[in-house]
Amino acid sequence: MASSGVVTPSLAGARSSRTARLAWAAGALALVRCGGGAPLLHPAHVLPVNTVSFGAGLSGQFASDGITSAINRGRSAAGEPLSNGSSARSYSDGVLTQALVAPGIGPYVAARVGLPEETEAGLTYTGRSIRLDGRYAHALGESLALSLGLGATALLLSPDSSSPGPGAEAASGANPQAELDLNAKGWGLDAPVLFGYEGMGGMFELWAGARVGLEQIDGELRSNASDAGAPRIDAAGRRWWAGAVTGFSVGVPPLWLRFEVATTFHKLSGELSGGGGEAPFAFGQLDATGWTLSPSGAIVGKF
């Protein structure tokens, strides 16, 4: 019997459901590529010499109301004429806050190696950054240790890697949106100090400590996302941050499960410039503070 070409309600519903699932999956994958914190996910004790570890997992970055509101206002302002002073200021604050804090969920992939003299080196990828670090651990008896570290970070932000976190909705309106996702590069430095306990022959570890750092980014956007010839907007931002971190690890060789939570205070500064030809937009300067809570977890193998 020939098909009439009419889509039955059940078939239409199935297609709609399939489309919704695909859209949800695409959104979830985009979110995993986006923000997220930059966890340590290692204990205070260092690896034995010539021992290596490999870990993979997820990290989250959940921001305080002030940070979330600034990003949402920026997305709304992106659909308004930037010649409006208040819209330009909201847009600038949203762009820089989103790029510097990056709320959302991101991947965690890391490799570490034990070195002589109670030292260790590691390389970590977190979606928006690549971090190289080294640290030294001082034994405080059989089970306790104090770890001092230093890390250097390369930041690579793109419209995919700096997408907003949960709750940040795209603005809509008659005017074409300006870009909100900053295309930028940058660098960072951080110094963690950890105090930790190791028990059960290394099958259980607990650590806590503090971490401070600095990030600097520079990039650009377009004042009209639908027009490749639209004036460019230059952006520069800086983030000072300090926080507390605690975590634990439990497992049986060669696999361990690790979990960590960090609470961080951020001080943000920066500015946008240009974008208006002979009459640049009046963006103003960002000067803000806020908090984030960053849980993370990973499976780690030691060999």
Side-chain angles (χ1 to χ4, degrees):
M1 182 174 176
S3 172
S4 64
V6 178
V7 179
T8 64
S10 60
L11 181 57
R15 289 180 177 176
S16 176
S17 177
R18 186 183 301 115
T19 300
R21 287 196 299 268
L22 290 173
W24 182 91
L29 288 174
L31 185 61
V32 168
R33 290 199 308 269
C34 313
L40 297 174
L41 276 175
H42 63 63
H45 291 77
V46 295
L47 292 167
V49 179
N50 295 329
T51 299
V52 297
S53 70
F54 300 94
L58 293 174
S59 67
Q61 184 95 307
F62 301 98
S64 60
D65 289 343
I67 291 176
T68 302
S69 296
I71 294 173
N72 287 336
R73 287 195 300 268
R75 295 197 70 83
S76 296
E80 302 174 0
L82 297 182
S83 55
N84 181 311
S86 61
S87 295
R89 179 60 185 267
S90 295
Y91 174 73
S92 174
D93 289 352
V95 166
L96 292 171
T97 301
Q98 177 176 294
L100 289 167
V101 179
I105 300 173
Y108 167 88
V109 181
R112 308 193 67 82
V113 58
L115 302 173
E117 304 299 330
E118 298 298 320
T119 59
E120 180 182 289
L123 185 66
T124 305
Y125 170 73
T126 59
R128 68 186 289 269
S129 67
I130 298 175
R131 177 178 182 262
L132 177 66
D133 77 286
R135 62 194 189 99
Y136 165 76
H138 177 67
L140 302 173
E142 295 183 358
S143 302
L144 303 178
L146 179 67
S147 168
L148 306 175
L150 181 64
T153 300
L155 298 167
L156 301 173
L157 280 66
S158 71
D160 282 338
S161 67
S162 60
S163 298
E169 299 179 354
S172 60
N175 297 310
Q177 275 192 311
E179 291 180 342
L180 189 78
D181 299 329
L182 183 60
N183 184 9
K185 296 180 181 179
W187 56 270
L189 296 172
D190 71 283
V193 178
L194 298 177
F195 176 76
Y197 166 81
E198 180 182 78
M200 301 172 61
M203 291 189 292
F204 176 77
E205 292 174 294
L206 179 68
W207 63 92
R211 191 178 177 194
V212 297
L214 162 69
E215 287 185 356
Q216 173 74 40
I217 59 171
D218 295 279
E220 60 181 20
L221 309 99
R222 283 202 303 269
S223 58
N224 186 327
S226 64
D227 181 3
R232 306 299 299 188
I233 300 172
D234 295 322
R238 177 172 293 180
R239 175 172 71 104
W240 294 91
W241 54 274
V245 57
T246 184
F248 72 92
S249 174
V250 60
V252 177
L255 296 178
W256 279 259
L257 292 175
R258 287 183 177 171
F259 301 93
E260 186 177 275
V261 177
T263 302
T264 306
F265 174 77
H266 308 265
K267 179 172 175 54
L268 313 177
S269 61
E271 62 179 339
L272 267 58
S273 59
E278 297 180 357
F281 301 134
F283 291 113
Q285 294 187 338
L286 172 68
D287 184 7
T289 59
W291 293 87
T292 57
L293 178 68
S294 304
S296 56
I299 298 175
V300 176
K302 299 181 187 179
F303 308 94

